[in-house]
Amino acid sequence: EDRYVFYEDPAEFVHDERYALKVTYWKDSAAWDRRDGRVQYPVSYTLLQALYISALRSVWHLPALPETTNQGPSLSKIACQRLATAMARALASPTSEFRVPMPSSANSPPTSQSSSLFGVGRDSVGPLTGVTSDAAHMLWFLQPGDISDSDVATLQWAVGEWLETPIGVRSLFKDTTQAVTQQ
């Protein structure tokens, strides 16, 4: 499954130890559960995995690309669809590196739901923890059936439990936010 996970790694892609930013996606201020706020590469993010799945599926609509090719590894429509399917399976797997244990809560999720959540991602140290809106955002990029109904139910419960406010949805669970501001 690791072969179908999108990773960022400056050593591999730009031949350097790190990027200029501590974190290289929309929450680029800091990794709240890392001592200096920097992720340790290589890193994979749940939201970016879903975004790349969607991007690969969108290739089908590009008129200039061939459906197939016999010229070795190349960007063909069918190859992109197969890769997107494999990446979706890697994301949804019950043993996926994108999953984190369910945080403790005053309320328990209904028993029909998963015992884990989709976390922020994983770097070479381990999971990037905390309850964030990333998993809810990833649904925009996925298709029905990419993740199980129980995962969708768990996500819906988690958003209501930890992220919902009277005026909207916060991007970080408040306990996680306190850790960010203390760095």
Side-chain angles (χ1 to χ4, degrees), residues 89-152:
R89 279 192 207 119
L91 175 68
S93 168
T95 59
S96 167
E97 67 180 60
F98 296 107
R99 293 182 183 270
V100 294
M102 185 73 70
S104 59
S105 170
N107 303 310
S108 303
T111 55
S112 64
Q113 297 177 2
S114 298
S115 60
S116 63
L117 290 173
F118 289 100
V120 173
R122 174 179 292 276
D123 68 2
S124 64
V125 175
L128 299 169
T129 60
V131 178
T132 73
S133 59
D134 287 10
H137 291 146
M138 86 174 175
L139 293 177
W140 176 259
F141 300 105
L142 298 176
Q143 294 178 350
D146 280 344
I147 63 172
S148 71
D149 290 345
S150 66
D151 282 335
V152 173

Side-chain angles (χ1 to χ4, degrees), residues 8 10 14 16-25 27-45 120-129 179-180 182-183:
E8 291 188 354
V14 296
D16 204 345
E17 303 179 2
R18 63 183 190 180
Y19 295 114
L21 298 173
K22 291 181 179 184
V23 180
T24 52
Y25 86 128
K27 289 186 179 118
D28 62 0
S29 57
W32 51 84
D33 53 355
R34 297 296 179 262
R35 191 174 46 149
D36 64 353
R38 288 189 180 275
V39 295
Q40 302 299 307
Y41 295 99
V43 63
S44 58
Y45 296 108
V120 173
R122 174 179 292 276
D123 68 2
S124 64
V125 175
L128 299 169
T129 60
V180 171
Q182 293 171 1
Q183 284 198 12

Side-chain angles (χ1 to χ4, degrees), residues 22 75 120 146 157 167 171-172:
K22 291 181 179 184
L75 187 67
V120 173
D146 280 344
W157 175 83
I167 59 169
S171 64
L172 298 175

Side-chain angles (χ1 to χ4, degrees), residues 33-80:
D33 53 355
R34 297 296 179 262
R35 191 174 46 149
D36 64 353
R38 288 189 180 275
V39 295
Q40 302 299 307
Y41 295 99
V43 63
S44 58
Y45 296 108
T46 307
L47 182 58
L48 288 182
Q49 178 82 0
L51 185 135
Y52 277 92
I53 291 166
S54 179
L56 287 165
R57 287 176 172 154
S58 296
V59 166
W60 192 262
H61 304 288
L62 297 175
L65 288 178
E67 276 194 39
T68 62
T69 182
N70 293 328
Q71 300 175 11
S74 70
L75 187 67
S76 73
K77 291 180 179 185
I78 290 177
C80 288

